[in-house]
Amino acid sequence: MLNHHTLLAALAAAATLLILPTGTTAAPTGTTTTTPPPNLTAASPLTTHTVVAGRGGLRFDPDNIVATPGSIIEFHFLPANHSVVEAAFDAPCVPKDAASFDSGFFPVPARADGGAVQSGEVFQFVVRDDGKPVWFYCAQGKHCKGGMVGVVNQDLGSGKLLGGFRELAGRFGGVVAGVQGRVVGGWRGENPNPLAGF
Ligand SMILES: [Cu+2]
């Protein structure tokens, strides 16, 4: 036998059932039945970009790289003795700051028969997540002043472009230097494919 309170509760429960639609709009507040589109950017694969120092004279090849944050930039070194060091756009040929990467030098003797040869070691650094351009140069002798410079992810809207950086390097009047000549901000390791990258 239902008492008064139990009857009221039963009526309330029945009323709730009656006002609930039977279709798909019964989803609780705060949820959505719409599936968001896939985030293609987040799914972008990371890549290793190969750059050859000294291919085509005093040049990095390629010298204008576009790379997803987290990607690896891998430098291969041809004769005779190059390096790669991070700079600021407005101050080429010297390290940007204490946190700049520096590969150190890679002396590579030319082959007697004139054949292609590259260092048995490479230098790698990882493109940071801040999305800012990464400017770099070779710290050997007059190489930087001679135009041996490059960039990762230059900002086309900023007016600071590779041509301008190379022009500033050509006018550089200071002493070209690396980060105390030691390997920092990246990794120097065995060349995974010494026959590639010519
Ligand atoms: Cu060089």
Side-chain angles (χ1 to χ4, degrees):
M1 193 65 191
L2 296 173
N3 65 29
H4 182 67
H5 292 289
T6 306
L7 182 58
L8 282 179
L11 286 172
T16 301
L17 286 173
L18 286 174
I19 62 173
L20 269 179
T22 56
T24 56
T25 54
T29 304
T31 68
T32 173
T33 57
T34 305
T35 302
N39 187 334
L40 298 177
T41 301
S44 296
L46 301 180
T47 310
T48 297
H49 299 264
T50 302
V51 178
V52 182
R55 181 161 60 189
L58 296 183
R59 285 290 187 273
F60 293 99
D61 184 20
D63 55 10
N64 184 359
I65 301 123
V66 176
T68 311
S71 295
I72 293 171
I73 311 296
E74 179 178 283
F75 290 84
H76 294 236
F77 296 86
L78 302 189
N81 194 354
H82 300 289
S83 74
V84 59
V85 186
E86 184 179 8
F89 177 86
D90 299 313
C93 309
V94 291
K96 179 183 178 186
D97 52 36
S100 298
F101 64 75
D102 185 346
S103 70
F105 288 106
F106 285 68
V108 183
R111 269 172 46 170
D113 63 3
V117 61
Q118 64 173 278
S119 174
E121 289 186 311
V122 297
F123 175 77
Q124 298 181 332
F125 75 87
V126 176
V127 178
R128 288 183 294 258
D129 292 338
D130 61 15
K132 293 179 180 174
V134 178
W135 303 94
F136 58 82
Y137 66 98
C138 174
Q140 179 64 265
K142 295 182 177 178
H143 292 194
C144 182
K145 294 183 194 180
M148 195 167 179
V149 297
V151 64
V152 179
N153 294 340
Q154 68 178 349
D155 180 357
L156 294 176
S158 70
K160 296 182 175 182
L161 304 179
L162 179 58
F165 185 60
R166 181 165 282 134
E167 194 177 315
L168 286 173
R171 294 204 304 265
F172 180 73
V175 178
V176 179
V179 185
Q180 300 175 7
R182 55 197 172 85
V183 182
V184 291
W187 300 270
R188 182 168 173 155
E190 185 180 349
N191 189 336
N193 191 359
L195 297 180
F198 295 105

